[in-house]
């Protein structure tokens, strides 16, 4: 009786590293895509050739989608979606598949910050952060995962945070920290569960110069810089390469990983 090997086949890969990063023919959903990290990631993937579905909640992304089409010659559309609503996530994903003809990559990037610590947070504010940052990320994963399992391939990337690894100071944000830690472990868990048909990874940014931190006091930002070995926050464009790597065939042996891009904050 012939023994059956448990080894799965190695994917067919080009010799050119530039071809590995090519995204032509790929359809990508990016939640929280109207600005900040999400839009810069969209530009990176569009420049590599991907068609982009930008999801937004309160800040429309139609102009950004039109700019992607103009700048990179790809297809791009904007969709208004509340990721904390499972039915909206499912309907919008189905619309993307209908509009673009498929789905290859889901980037669950939408998130909101906590504004108070664990004892001072209002219960309704705590629940809102959980709904968007954790449940919303899971809903995107759940709907995309069903598509990936059916078609036999797919790629899921979560935007987590260095806050999933550390308790930030001086601000208090227990809910946000806990949600992002949950997202990191959700990514690892799904990577194991989905290994037969999809890869799952997360990115944990540190302090990034985006509107989400725009109203923070000068003294708070100075405290952040003092705790960050590179002594600054990041331009969101400094994250583009990480997401392109994870979204592309350059990372076909990378799953269950959390890539920390935090200027050294969590290595202290």
């Amino acid at each position: 009786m012939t023994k059956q090997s448990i080894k799965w086949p190695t994917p067919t890969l080009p010799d050119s590293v530039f071809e590995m990063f090519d995204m032509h023919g790929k359809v990508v959903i990016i939640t929280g895509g109207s600005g900040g990290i999400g839009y810069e990631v969209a530009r990176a993937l569009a420049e590599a050739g991907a068609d982009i579905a930008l999801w937004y909640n309160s800040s429309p992304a139609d102009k950004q989608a039109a700019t992607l089409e103009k700048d990179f010659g790809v297809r791009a559309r904007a969709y208004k979606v509340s990721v904390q609503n499972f039915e909206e996530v499912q309907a919008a994903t189905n619309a993307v598949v209908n509009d673009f003809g498929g789905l290859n990559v889901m980037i669950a990037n939408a998130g909101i910050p906590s504004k108070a610590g664990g004892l001072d947070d209002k219960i309704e504010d705590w629940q809102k952060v959980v709904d968007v940052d954790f449940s919303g990320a899971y809903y995107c994963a759940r709907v995309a995962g069903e598509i990936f399992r059916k078609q036999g391939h797919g790629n899921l990337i979560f935007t987590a945070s260095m806050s999933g690894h550390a308790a930030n100071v001086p601000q208090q944000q227990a809910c946000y920290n806990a949600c992002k830690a949950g997202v990191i472990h959700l990514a690892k868990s799904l990577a194991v569960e989905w290994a037969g048909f999809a890869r799952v990874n997360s990115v944990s940014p540190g302090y990034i110069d985006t509107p989400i931190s725009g109203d923070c006091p000068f003294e708070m930002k100075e405290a952040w810089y003092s705790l960050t070995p590179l002594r600054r926050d990041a331009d969101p464009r400094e994250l583009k390469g990480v997401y392109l790597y994870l979204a592309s065939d350059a990372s076909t042996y990378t799953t269950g990983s959390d890539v920390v891009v935090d200027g050294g904050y969590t290595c202290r």
Side-chain angles (χ1 to χ4, degrees):
M1 183 176 180
T2 304
K3 291 184 178 180
Q4 295 291 324
S5 174
I6 64 171
K7 179 182 177 181
W8 290 353
T10 301
T12 302
L13 297 171
D15 290 330
S16 168
V17 70
F18 295 107
E19 290 181 24
M20 288 182 177
F21 282 96
D22 183 79
M23 293 291 291
H24 284 87
K26 303 289 181 67
V27 176
V28 181
I29 291 174
I30 303 175
T31 74
S34 63
I37 293 172
Y39 182 59
E40 291 300 336
V41 171
R43 289 190 62 81
L45 273 55
E47 185 175 353
D51 295 323
I52 306 293
L54 293 175
W55 285 14
Y56 68 92
N57 181 33
S58 57
S59 300
D62 299 274
K63 291 183 178 179
Q64 289 88 331
T67 299
L68 294 179
E69 291 191 328
K70 176 178 178 293
D71 288 352
F72 304 114
V74 300
R75 295 180 296 164
R77 291 190 62 172
Y79 301 79
K80 189 178 189 309
V81 188
S82 297
V83 296
Q84 64 268 40
N85 184 303
F86 180 77
E87 288 72 25
E88 286 193 33
V89 171
Q90 194 162 47
T93 304
N94 291 339
V96 170
V97 171
N98 182 67
D99 293 339
F100 289 87
L103 177 64
N104 302 98
V105 184
M106 168 68 82
I107 301 179
N109 171 73
I112 58 174
S114 294
K115 294 296 186 181
L119 283 180
D120 298 319
D121 219 359
K122 296 178 181 178
I123 294 299
E124 57 268 29
D125 291 339
W126 174 283
Q127 191 61 57
K128 184 177 181 180
V129 173
V130 172
D131 287 346
V132 173
D133 293 6
F134 188 70
S135 296
Y138 169 68
Y139 295 159
C140 293
R142 175 66 178 263
V143 174
E146 291 175 348
I147 294 171
F148 296 162
R149 180 164 60 182
K150 184 177 180 179
Q151 67 191 17
H153 60 86
N155 192 339
L156 172 65
I157 304 168
F158 292 103
T159 296
S161 173
M162 72 173 187
S163 301
H165 297 273
N168 306 66
V169 292
Q171 74 274 30
Q172 297 182 352
Q173 52 181 41
C175 184
Y176 182 82
N177 295 349
C179 287
K180 291 303 186 178
V183 166
I184 293 167
H185 204 63
L186 176 62
K188 293 179 181 296
S189 300
L190 294 180
V192 174
E193 294 179 11
W194 296 7
F197 58 88
R199 295 188 295 111
V200 184
N201 295 285
S202 59
V203 178
S204 283
Y207 293 117
I208 312 296
D209 184 15
T210 64
I212 199 171
S213 61
D215 61 349
C216 296
F218 172 84
E219 292 77 14
M220 180 178 289
K221 288 189 175 183
E222 285 293 294
W224 297 349
Y225 304 153
S226 72
L227 295 169
T228 303
L230 290 187
R231 300 282 175 164
R232 62 178 177 87
D233 51 12
D235 185 308
R237 290 173 294 183
E238 293 180 281
L239 293 166
K240 292 166 72 170
V242 172
Y243 282 88
L244 177 57
Y245 166 73
L246 292 176
S248 71
D249 288 343
S251 60
T252 49
Y253 200 57
T254 303
T255 197
S257 293
D258 178 63
V259 183
V260 180
V261 187
D262 68 352
Y265 187 100
T266 57
C267 73
R268 290 177 294 104

